[in-house]
Amino acid sequence: MKDFKKYYHITAPPEEVYIALTNPFTIELWTGEPAEMSTEPGSEFSMWEGSIVGKNLEFEEGKKLVQQWYFDGQPEASIVTIKLHPDKGGASVELKHTNIPDTEYNGFVEGWDNSYFGSLTEFFDEKD
């Protein structure tokens, strides 16, 4: 199991980034796919036609979200924590993803950089 931590910069205030990460309609705008999402702790979520599924654990509006991502047969929970901080010209996004299966690690790093935060960055850059 491996952990991944990285910072991203997005040209939008933390409050707008939070909405983009938690509102199913906004998620669909930047992913291009329908999403199931709720800010209710304990609720399940699904993105990218079920490619990412899990349970929402914790929310701090405009600042933080914590999710458990499901992997078949994994003994330890894979936890994704996203923290949002005001930054010059937008938001600094702190991502921490723990317990990524070794065989999936490179794919997840690429997914975070290109599909997830790459798409989110493009979404906000196009709004300007």
Side-chain angles (χ1 to χ4, degrees):
M1 300 299 229
K2 294 183 178 180
D3 295 346
F4 177 67
K5 184 173 183 179
K6 187 169 180 175
Y7 288 86
Y8 298 89
H9 183 269
I10 297 180
T11 58
E15 298 79 18
E16 287 185 26
V17 177
Y18 178 84
I19 290 168
L21 294 171
T22 59
N23 181 304
F25 301 107
T26 311
I27 292 169
E28 185 173 342
L29 290 175
W30 62 268
T31 65
E33 304 284 345
E36 292 176 32
M37 181 64 70
S38 164
T39 53
E40 185 69 35
S43 63
E44 303 225 327
F45 70 91
S46 175
M47 297 171 64
W48 277 287
E49 297 184 321
S51 294
I52 300 173
V53 292
K55 181 169 40 173
N56 292 307
L57 302 177
E58 181 185 339
F59 294 94
E60 192 174 335
E61 191 169 341
K63 296 182 180 179
K64 177 174 143 182
L65 64 121
V66 182
Q67 299 174 319
Q68 176 182 348
W69 286 24
Y70 297 153
F71 295 101
D72 288 339
Q74 184 170 321
E76 294 179 56
S78 182
I79 304 297
V80 170
T81 303
I82 298 174
K83 295 181 182 178
L84 306 168
H85 309 281
D87 194 28
K88 204 178 286 184
S92 172
V93 180
E94 176 186 342
L95 165 71
K96 184 174 183 188
H97 190 167
T98 64
N99 294 327
I100 301 169
D102 293 345
T103 57
E104 306 289 328
Y105 183 80
N106 290 338
F108 269 86
V109 169
E110 186 179 308
W112 280 119
D113 287 347
N114 299 327
S115 301
Y116 202 98
F117 284 108
S119 296
L120 193 59
T121 299
E122 285 177 24
F123 172 73
F124 281 109
D125 286 349
E126 289 172 5
K127 286 180 69 179
D128 291 338

